[in-house]
Amino acid sequence: YAKVKGVRGFSVVSNQWSMATDSSASDETRVNGMYHVDESYYKWHERTGMPLLPYSSTAHGAFSKMKQGTLTEQGSAAYVNPRNEKLFALLEEESAEEGVNLYVLAQAYLRKHPFQVIPVAGVSSPVQLSDFARAAEYELPDRWMQRYLSLGVW
């Protein structure tokens, strides 16, 4: 298509990545048979500038579900861990200060990295769709990004 139209083609990597650390991830960078971004993948994206199109970019809404108290047993096993609990506390603090919900913040975090990130998320309601659109517009303040990064990238 690109050649026919006289435009440059593009490539992206589409591994799983979200703000939340998945406790079920293994050293082999696989979760349920799917590859996720780990430190080596992250550093490769930093070095090459290759865009990342992460699927499940909200970790199945883990932080929003933590807030609502609706995280399932499987979700708890995957996402309730010390790093995520600290992130959740920071997200709650930023949400109150900035007037933005946790879903928007978790998406905005991904877009704030030193290479292009185009988050992919499944939405199941008009509210989630609205939040996803809002996340594309929200610019995460640097002071918050630094606080999140102090807990590590993944």
Side-chain angles (χ1 to χ4, degrees):
Y1 175 86
K3 188 175 186 179
V4 169
K5 296 292 184 182
V7 295
R8 185 174 175 206
F10 64 91
S11 297
V12 298
V13 173
S14 185
N15 287 3
Q16 192 282 325
W17 188 40
S18 69
M19 184 182 208
T21 298
D22 185 337
S23 300
S24 64
S26 73
D27 291 338
E28 298 169 356
T29 71
R30 292 172 65 87
V31 178
N32 298 323
M34 306 299 282
Y35 285 93
H36 71 272
V37 174
D38 67 359
E39 183 176 7
S40 65
Y41 278 103
Y42 184 88
K43 287 182 178 180
W44 182 84
H45 282 281
E46 267 188 321
R47 188 176 67 255
T48 66
M50 174 66 75
L52 180 61
L53 188 82
Y55 64 90
S56 192
S57 62
T58 64
H60 308 284
F63 292 119
S64 296
K65 290 175 181 174
M66 285 177 183
K67 181 177 179 72
Q68 298 163 357
T70 59
L71 199 60
T72 65
E73 187 176 322
Q74 183 180 5
S76 293
Y79 297 112
V80 175
N81 57 58
R83 179 181 178 271
N84 289 346
E85 290 171 346
K86 290 174 187 171
L87 279 173
F88 179 69
L90 287 176
L91 285 164
E92 288 272 73
E93 187 180 335
E94 182 182 7
S95 177
E97 184 178 303
E98 302 289 332
V100 180
N101 71 36
L102 305 187
Y103 185 96
V104 170
L105 296 176
Q107 291 292 295
Y109 164 85
L110 292 177
R111 294 186 314 94
K112 188 87 172 171
H113 289 273
F115 48 88
Q116 185 178 21
V117 179
I118 307 160
V120 174
V123 297
S124 59
S125 72
V127 170
Q128 285 181 349
L129 184 57
S130 177
D131 287 345
F132 193 64
R134 170 80 170 105
E137 302 296 322
Y138 182 73
E139 290 295 326
L140 191 68
D142 289 338
R143 70 184 182 284
W144 283 105
M145 186 64 171
Q146 293 310 314
R147 291 182 75 185
Y148 297 135
L149 290 176
S150 74
L151 299 175
V153 175
W154 43 90

